[in-house]
């Protein structure tokens, strides 16, 4: 089954699972729930609570980051798009939940409405719900564009509040929820709780113990100013991966100015056939800047692999167009190294877009690999000379653009521009593949 079809099915199944509690909720409704404005508002309040908790628990389950689970979804980035959407939907619904219940109570008395929004201290179930909602507002707020791009480590620490939020939400749900027939409440929420708590437990406890592989920094090779390539040697079991995958790298070096024992995602630049891992790292933040001077012999761990940029196997089965920009050359370099190691080839046009000649990372190796790979065409694009990549430039160097699989990795403006040109050329969404690293 094509990746795009598999991905749509996987994402669709997750959203469908979130609607299971809704089905049981509807089955438990009666005529009394529609008898007056107050009862309708009460029903809607309970409904938003049910859907909000379902989205929250499934969003937590999708955060587990178990290697391999992201593959049917088209990679971890695309899986986390669904995670983010479910988290946002959960927050919106759970903010409506107490408001609708309060409006319903207002139909009986003003005091009842106030008591709903400001419950007595003895109302444990209500305060569990309010605590969960407040924690959600704190840890989800930095994820919204309104607050600007968050700093990675600060965002990660704040996001740790997701665990307590899930626990408080579950306590509130088990104590207050009586909206489904029979034992459906207990059964449904127990299953969802197992998924969420299992995911959080993996992320916070077990992944650090059994999900990471030990490596040692063997070489640190400067590529250009602000970019190094680390060569990592396995200490035990080596990582199995595909070209285009990325890993979470954690260095253990107290002499680093920043980033010691902090995990950060980096794309692998090595071929899967190499005995060691290679990772190209550009100085973009405190941790990546500090790691430029990491010492050979330093212990590191890697967790992964994640992502699904290229088809598995490494061989090129259909005509492809690659568009790389800046450090986005890394997954393409890994695939070029893999194809060359396989002594394979394919109908590939690669456009490498950089500001000027001095910004072209691995330029000499890429030109050499392009000559060694049968059917490979390398086109350099320099912004200072050509301006942004135009539709005319694409069609001039790749006339059959509309009949190729398109792979894009670079700065977001470049990604969006190439997608726009491709869509205008008649390329459907299923044939455009892009790698966009967000907060992972």
């Amino acid at each position: 089954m094509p990746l795009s079809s598999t991905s749509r099915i996987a994402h669709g199944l997750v959203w469908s699972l979130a609607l299971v509690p809704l089905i049981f909720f509807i089955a438990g409704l009666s005529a009394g729930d529609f008898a007056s404005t107050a009862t309708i508002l009460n029903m809607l309040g309970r409904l938003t609570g049910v859907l909000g908790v379902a989205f929250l628990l499934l969003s937590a389950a999708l955060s587990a980051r178990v290697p391999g689970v992201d593959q049917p979804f088209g990679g971890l980035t695309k899986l986390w798009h669904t995670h983010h959407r479910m988290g946002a939907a959960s927050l919106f619904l759970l903010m409506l939940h107490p408001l609708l219940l309060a409006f319903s109570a207002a139909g009986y008395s003003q005091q009842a409405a106030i008591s709903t929004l400001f419950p007595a201290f003895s109302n444990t179930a209500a305060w569990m719900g309010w605590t969960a909602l407040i924690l959600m507002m704190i840890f989800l707020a930095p994820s919204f564009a309104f607050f600007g791009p968050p700093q990675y480590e600060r965002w990660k620490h704040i996001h740790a509040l997701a665990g307590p939020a899930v626990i408080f939400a579950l306590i509130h749900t088990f104590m207050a929820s009586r909206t489904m027939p029979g034992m459906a409440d207990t059964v449904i929420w127990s299953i969802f709780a197992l998924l969420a708590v299992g995911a959080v437990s993996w992320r916070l406890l077990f992944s650090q113990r059994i999900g990471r592989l030990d490596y040692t920094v063997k070489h640190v090779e400067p590529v250009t100013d602000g970019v190094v390539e680390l060569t990592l040697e396995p200490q035990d079991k080596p990582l199995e991966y595909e070209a285009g995958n990325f890993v979470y790298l954690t260095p253990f070096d107290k002499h680093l100015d920043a980033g010691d024992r902090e995990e950060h995602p980096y794309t692998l630049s090595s071929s899967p056939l190499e005995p060691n891992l290679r990772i190209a790292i550009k100085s973009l933040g405190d941790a990546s800047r500090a790691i430029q001077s990491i010492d050979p012999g330093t212990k590191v761990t890697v967790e992964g692999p994640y992502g699904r940029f290229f088809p598995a196997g490494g061989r090129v089965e259909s005509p492809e167009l690659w568009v790389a920009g800046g450090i986005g050359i890394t997954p393409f370099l890994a695939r070029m190294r893999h194809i060359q190691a396989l002594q394979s080839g394919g109908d590939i046009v690669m456009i490498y877009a950089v500001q000027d000649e001095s910004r072209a990372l691995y330029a000499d190796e890429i030109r050499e690999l392009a000559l060694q790979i049968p059917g490979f065409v390398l086109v350099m694009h320099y912004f200072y000379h050509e301006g942004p990549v135009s539709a005319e430039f694409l069609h001039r160097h790749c006339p059959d653009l509309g009949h190729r699989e398109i792979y894009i990795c670079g700065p977001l403006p470049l990604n969006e521009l190439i997608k726009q040109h491709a869509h205008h050329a008649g390329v459907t969404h299923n044939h455009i593949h892009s790698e966009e690293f967000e907060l992972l």
Side-chain angles (χ1 to χ4, degrees):
M1 183 180 293
L3 173 59
S4 57
S5 300
T6 304
S7 179
R8 284 197 300 271
I9 292 172
H11 288 280
L13 286 174
V14 171
W15 285 103
S16 298
L17 183 59
L19 298 179
V20 170
L22 174 62
I23 296 172
F24 284 90
F25 177 86
I26 293 173
L29 293 177
S30 66
D33 292 306
F34 302 91
S36 67
T37 300
T39 58
I40 291 174
L41 288 172
N42 181 271
M43 180 270 294
L44 292 175
R46 289 182 287 119
L47 173 61
T48 53
V50 167
L51 283 178
V53 171
F55 286 143
L56 173 64
L57 297 179
L58 284 177
S59 179
L62 294 180
S63 71
R65 214 178 72 195
V66 179
V69 172
D70 62 316
Q71 294 300 303
F73 294 86
L76 190 60
T77 304
K78 292 179 175 60
L79 171 62
W80 278 33
H81 284 165
T82 296
H83 163 76
H84 293 155
R85 292 186 186 108
M86 282 193 164
S90 173
L91 179 60
F92 174 74
L93 289 166
L94 292 178
M95 289 176 70
L96 280 178
H97 171 60
L99 293 176
L100 288 168
L101 292 179
F103 284 132
S104 170
Y108 300 101
S109 72
Q110 184 178 11
Q111 183 58 42
I114 294 174
S115 297
T116 300
L117 293 176
F118 304 99
F121 286 110
S122 59
N123 192 340
T124 305
W127 281 110
M128 291 293 102
W130 276 113
T131 303
L133 182 56
I134 292 169
L135 290 176
M136 286 181 65
M137 289 190 285
I138 294 172
F139 79 78
L140 282 176
S143 301
F144 295 106
F146 174 82
F147 295 94
Q151 195 271 338
Y152 177 80
E153 279 303 314
R154 185 180 301 120
W155 169 87
K156 200 172 91 168
H157 290 313
I158 293 175
H159 229 62
L161 294 174
V166 167
I167 293 172
F168 285 121
L170 280 171
I171 294 173
H172 170 77
T173 300
F174 279 114
M175 292 183 69
S177 180
R178 294 293 183 271
T179 58
M180 303 179 192
M183 294 292 293
D185 269 307
T186 302
V187 173
I188 293 293
W189 295 127
S190 294
I191 293 173
F192 275 63
L194 285 173
L195 290 173
V197 174
V200 172
S201 298
W202 167 265
R203 182 77 267 120
L204 298 180
L205 300 175
F206 302 112
S207 67
Q208 299 185 23
R209 293 172 172 79
I210 62 176
R212 297 179 178 182
L213 299 176
D214 293 325
Y215 277 79
T216 299
V217 177
K218 187 175 183 181
H219 298 299
V220 181
E221 181 178 350
V223 177
T224 189
D225 186 33
V227 179
V228 297
E229 184 175 66
L230 307 185
T231 299
L232 309 179
E233 186 175 41
Q235 296 306 291
D236 190 10
K237 178 185 176 182
L239 181 75
E240 297 182 5
Y241 62 98
E242 298 282 348
N245 286 162
F246 67 91
V247 297
Y248 279 82
L249 174 70
T250 304
F252 293 83
D253 184 353
K254 62 183 179 181
H255 300 296
L256 290 175
D257 292 335
D260 176 40
R261 300 176 188 271
E262 292 180 3
E263 59 173 21
H264 289 268
Y266 299 108
T267 299
L268 297 167
S269 59
S270 50
S271 160
L273 299 180
E274 297 179 32
N276 298 322
L277 297 181
R278 287 193 274 180
I279 300 177
I281 301 177
K282 183 176 181 179
S283 177
L284 294 172
D286 292 341
S288 57
R289 187 178 302 113
I291 210 169
Q292 306 287 310
S293 59
I294 195 169
D295 294 323
T298 299
K299 176 189 173 183
V300 299
T301 61
V302 296
E303 183 180 348
Y306 300 106
R308 188 167 183 178
F309 192 30
F310 301 115
R315 299 189 182 276
V316 179
E317 304 295 341
S318 59
E320 298 180 357
L321 169 65
W322 301 356
V323 182
I327 195 64
I329 190 62
T330 307
F332 298 112
L333 175 63
R335 197 172 187 209
M336 291 180 77
R337 287 169 168 172
H338 192 198
I339 292 172
Q340 193 273 339
L342 291 170
Q343 297 184 337
S344 182
D347 184 356
I348 303 169
V349 175
M350 182 171 84
I351 296 175
Y352 187 9
V354 292
Q355 182 63 37
D356 53 53
E357 290 85 351
S358 66
R359 305 290 183 90
L361 307 177
Y362 298 96
D364 292 339
E365 181 181 359
I366 286 172
R367 290 190 178 97
E368 184 178 345
L369 286 170
L371 293 174
Q372 295 174 1
I373 298 173
F376 196 102
V377 177
L378 172 64
V379 179
M380 298 300 299
H381 176 280
Y382 300 109
F383 287 101
Y384 84 96
H385 179 66
E386 299 271 0
V389 179
S390 64
E392 186 277 330
F393 184 93
L394 281 180
H395 285 285
R396 180 172 11 121
H397 294 285
C398 188
D400 59 346
L401 166 69
H403 301 284
R404 290 177 177 264
E405 294 291 321
I406 300 177
Y407 297 88
I408 315 165
C409 187
L412 186 58
L414 175 65
N415 288 14
E416 295 303 319
L417 181 62
I418 300 303
K419 288 179 184 179
Q420 180 180 338
H421 292 331
H423 286 310
H424 287 164
V427 183
T428 62
H429 177 76
N430 294 340
H431 296 282
I432 301 174
H433 317 275
S434 64
E435 192 69 280
E436 295 134 5
F437 290 102
E438 300 175 357
L439 289 175
L440 301 174

